[in-house]
Amino acid sequence: MKMSGGPASVNIKISLLIIAFAIGGGTLFYTNNLVSRLQEKEKQYVQFFANGLEYVANSSQSDGDITFLFENIIKPIDFPMILTNANDEVNLSGASTEIRNIRYDSTLSETELKMFFANKIREMDEVQSPILVKYIEGIDTIVLTKIHYGDSELINQLKFYPFIQILIVAIFIIIGYIGFSQIKKSEQSNIWVGMAKETAHQFGTPISSL
């Protein structure tokens, strides 16, 4: 007697794997694309900030006309940002304006704070290259400020989202595989039971005639 249902179960498992990988791959691609777009947007904000600082540094005019710009566009920035000098040194006395969206223990000593921010700057520079604020003096260009910045909390959450999605898909595959394996075993058991009944029936017919 031919056992049916096996090939169908295999086809279902293959289809399940294809769908799961398609979902995982699509989610990863879409999220990475979204993260790249958000990072580019944040870079534009920082570049805009740098351009404003360069305007102030290189212009002899009063900076009163861009105060509104800084207060209403730059101040709402929600990603971590540190302003340093050309040597990556933080002005701790001006921390309230030069360090944004970074939590730190204000009770630390000056040496400990410098080490803390040096590590933070290193971490941010690995993600995004710092943007330089330059002062032009004749033919010379002097770096006045370096703007170090990192990803916002939203971007960090989006970076982990595909892996969470892939984990869920993997669990779905495992549960589906186990479920279909149990269905296949049940089908085979039913087939063997049917074969046993048919065999008993075949044996029973000649015995009853005797």
Side-chain angles (χ1 to χ4, degrees):
M1 185 177 184
K2 187 178 179 180
M3 292 188 297
S4 60
S9 297
V10 173
N11 291 335
I12 291 174
K13 290 177 183 178
I14 293 174
S15 300
L16 186 65
L17 285 172
I18 293 174
I19 293 172
F21 280 116
I23 293 173
T27 301
L28 186 62
F29 174 79
Y30 176 78
T31 306
N32 286 340
N33 182 55
L34 184 60
V35 166
S36 297
R37 289 167 57 188
L38 288 173
Q39 286 177 328
E40 185 62 29
K41 197 72 174 179
E42 291 182 353
K43 182 178 180 180
Q44 291 176 2
Y45 273 107
V46 178
Q47 186 64 61
F48 187 56
F49 186 26
N51 292 342
L53 293 177
E54 284 188 352
Y55 172 81
V56 174
N58 291 281
S59 176
S60 58
Q61 299 177 3
S62 171
D63 61 345
D65 56 339
I66 60 172
T67 300
F68 176 83
L69 183 67
F70 285 170
E71 287 295 323
N72 293 274
I73 297 180
I74 305 303
K75 193 173 181 179
I77 285 176
D78 62 349
F79 50 86
M81 186 170 64
I82 299 176
L83 277 65
T84 68
N85 59 18
N87 299 319
D88 294 336
E89 296 172 343
V90 184
N91 179 15
L92 296 177
S93 61
S96 60
T97 57
E98 299 186 6
I99 300 170
R100 302 192 180 195
N101 302 313
I102 296 178
R103 296 180 180 178
Y104 61 94
D105 187 356
S106 58
T107 62
L108 295 175
S109 65
E110 183 175 346
T111 302
E112 291 173 329
L113 284 174
K114 286 182 178 180
M115 291 180 60
F116 172 81
F117 287 118
N119 291 330
K120 279 291 182 182
I121 290 170
R122 193 178 304 110
E123 291 175 3
M124 289 192 291
D125 289 351
E126 289 177 357
V127 178
Q128 301 285 358
S129 300
I131 293 179
L132 308 182
V133 178
K134 302 174 182 178
Y135 172 70
I136 301 174
E137 186 177 11
I139 60 174
D140 297 328
T141 301
I142 303 171
V143 176
L144 296 178
T145 305
K146 285 185 178 181
I147 304 177
H148 310 266
Y149 67 102
D151 292 332
S152 64
E153 189 64 27
L154 176 61
I155 290 179
N156 290 328
Q157 290 175 359
L158 286 174
K159 284 180 178 179
F160 287 105
Y161 175 74
F163 300 102
I164 297 174
Q165 185 78 2
I166 291 172
L167 178 61
I168 293 173
V169 170
I171 294 173
F172 172 72
I173 292 173
I174 293 172
I175 294 174
Y177 182 83
I178 294 173
F180 282 114
S181 295
Q182 293 299 323
I183 292 173
K184 185 176 180 180
K185 288 180 181 179
S186 178
E187 290 175 348
Q188 290 176 345
S189 298
N190 291 334
I191 290 171
W192 285 113
V193 170
M195 289 177 65
K197 288 181 178 180
E198 182 66 22
T199 302
H201 175 72
Q202 294 298 330
F203 278 119
T205 300
I207 292 175
S208 61
S209 63
L210 291 174

